[in-house]
Amino acid sequence: MLGYIVIAMKGADQSGLGLSDSMFALYTGITAGLAALFVPNGLGVREWIISAAFGGSVPVAVAFAAGLVYRLFVMVSEFVALVLTSIATRGFHRQSDILTQTGD
């Protein structure tokens, strides 16, 4: 997905950017973000490492912006998944409580 974001931002031609470039940049950025204990959630560190990992195939500004857009998309997706899971779990627990009541 990171590679598609970079291509959509016109940072590289589709032929000039390989899957290995995007995977290397993504996993290097994730590892650096997790290792950066001094920055909450690794925000900014991941994007800087992603822009450095793309090297000369993509301009630094485009790679940084693509990393930021990717991270924002992931954060919103995780939040939506949390909300939906909470709603589904709450509904399931209510249903199981109703089913297990015997009226004794």
Side-chain angles (χ1 to χ4, degrees):
M1 187 167 117
L2 179 62
Y4 289 126
I5 293 172
V6 169
I7 291 169
M9 297 179 91
K10 301 185 189 313
D13 293 334
Q14 195 167 6
S15 60
L17 185 66
L19 179 62
S20 60
D21 295 335
S22 297
M23 295 303 288
F24 175 72
L26 178 63
Y27 288 126
T28 305
I30 288 172
T31 303
L34 293 173
L37 300 176
F38 56 91
V39 179
N41 203 15
L43 209 57
V45 174
R46 288 184 174 120
E47 289 75 24
W48 180 74
I49 296 296
I50 285 172
S51 63
F54 270 114
S57 60
V58 177
V60 175
V62 172
F64 186 84
L68 185 62
V69 168
Y70 174 80
R71 184 66 185 142
L72 290 174
F73 179 77
V74 169
M75 287 172 51
V76 168
S77 299
E78 289 173 346
F79 180 72
V80 168
L82 174 70
V83 169
L84 292 177
T85 303
S86 298
I87 291 170
T89 303
R90 184 181 307 161
F92 177 73
H93 285 302
R94 282 192 200 146
Q95 184 180 10
S96 63
D97 291 341
I98 293 169
L99 295 175
T100 57
Q101 292 177 352
T102 59
D104 294 348

